[in-house]
Amino acid sequence: MAREFILSPSLLSSDFGNLQAELEALEKAGLQWVHWDVMDGAFVPNITFGPPVIKALRRTSSLFFDVHLMIERPERYINDFAGAGADLLCIHAESTIHLERSLSAIREAGMRVGLSLNPATPLAVVDYVLPQLDMVLIMTVNPGFGGQSFIPFCKDKIKDVSAMIKARNLSTLVQVDGGVTLENARELSELGADVLVSGSAFFGYPPYSTRHQAFKTAVLG
């Protein structure tokens, strides 16, 4: 495909004891984005890291910090993540009552704006706020844990949200997260995905430069 392809490796599958080294290795391998899965043990049944960890590593990395909040009432922490150095903050439509207000607050805090949808959440929730978004994240597994299998019906969702964006002549990116592998990367891109998040299918296959090239070849030919 001719258009740009972005791979955003999910640190959920990285070595938590050596995050600085992992980020440095990603940069050396030619990656530009890295995906932070922030979990609170309430919205999803797992706990990961928060603003202090991101802030500490922001000082050592020039990667684009793609921060995905899987937490309840994310509006409480927007300024904390802005201060920590998030470049893009993606929140779940299911996690906040006043969605438009929360999205506006992310923009006002100086970050790019992302909106994530769980697999069974209909695209109707995106309709009125789509012009406010820099990215829509389509979850293709139920969030909370890495290494899950891709949910097949999500393919239609990727295609439909991509068509919605094109119909409005917007530049909103489509990100796909969950069960992304070398085997399905090209199909997901052809369905409309601009950014692919890969965790275990990336970090489990070092060296990262070789794995990055393998994903690029799979998508771009």
Side-chain angles (χ1 to χ4, degrees):
M1 297 181 68
R3 75 171 189 273
E4 184 182 5
F5 159 67
I6 299 171
L7 181 64
S8 190
S10 171
L11 289 173
L12 186 63
S13 297
S14 70
D15 181 355
F16 278 18
N18 294 285
L19 284 176
Q20 182 174 343
E22 292 279 48
L23 293 177
E24 290 171 355
L26 292 177
E27 289 194 55
K28 289 178 182 177
L31 279 300
Q32 296 181 327
W33 284 42
V34 66
H35 189 82
W36 295 83
D37 287 304
V38 177
M39 305 181 186
D40 64 356
F43 182 68
V44 294
N46 198 3
I47 297 174
T48 54
F49 26 62
V53 174
I54 294 174
K55 185 174 184 178
L57 291 162
R58 173 79 284 174
R59 294 192 289 267
T60 69
S61 178
S62 61
L63 290 167
F64 183 89
F65 279 17
D66 162 28
V67 179
H68 176 197
L69 300 190
M70 287 172 270
I71 65 175
E72 292 185 350
R73 295 174 57 204
E75 62 274 9
R76 297 174 294 166
Y77 301 105
I78 289 171
N79 289 330
D80 293 312
F81 283 99
D87 293 296
L88 181 150
L89 198 66
C90 186
I91 64 172
H92 271 261
E94 307 89 355
S95 69
T96 183
I97 297 173
H98 303 290
L99 180 58
E100 192 283 330
R101 180 185 296 166
S102 297
L103 297 173
S104 294
I106 294 171
R107 180 79 66 199
E108 290 166 7
M111 295 174 288
R112 295 191 197 180
V113 183
L115 178 61
S116 181
L117 305 181
N118 283 336
T121 300
L123 285 177
V125 74
V126 176
D127 194 11
Y128 293 109
V129 298
L130 187 57
Q132 293 178 246
L133 304 178
D134 295 296
M135 189 179 79
V136 177
L137 167 53
I138 300 299
M139 290 298 302
T140 47
V141 299
N142 289 297
F145 296 97
Q148 299 184 69
S149 298
F150 186 95
I151 297 174
F153 70 70
C154 294
K155 291 179 182 180
D156 288 337
K157 201 171 182 182
I158 297 166
K159 182 173 62 177
D160 291 346
V161 76
S162 180
M164 183 186 299
I165 290 166
K166 289 177 182 176
R168 301 190 190 186
N169 198 29
L170 298 171
S171 57
T172 311
L173 297 173
V174 176
Q175 184 177 73
V176 173
D177 183 2
V180 174
T181 66
L182 279 183
E183 290 69 32
N184 63 15
R186 184 176 182 87
E187 181 183 10
L188 297 177
S189 182
E190 290 174 344
L191 288 169
D194 304 291
V195 186
L196 296 181
V197 176
S198 184
S200 56
F202 179 85
F203 283 100
Y205 298 87
Y208 300 156
S209 57
T210 301
R211 197 61 171 174
H212 184 206
Q213 184 58 51
F215 266 97
K216 288 170 67 175
T217 299
V219 172
L220 303 173

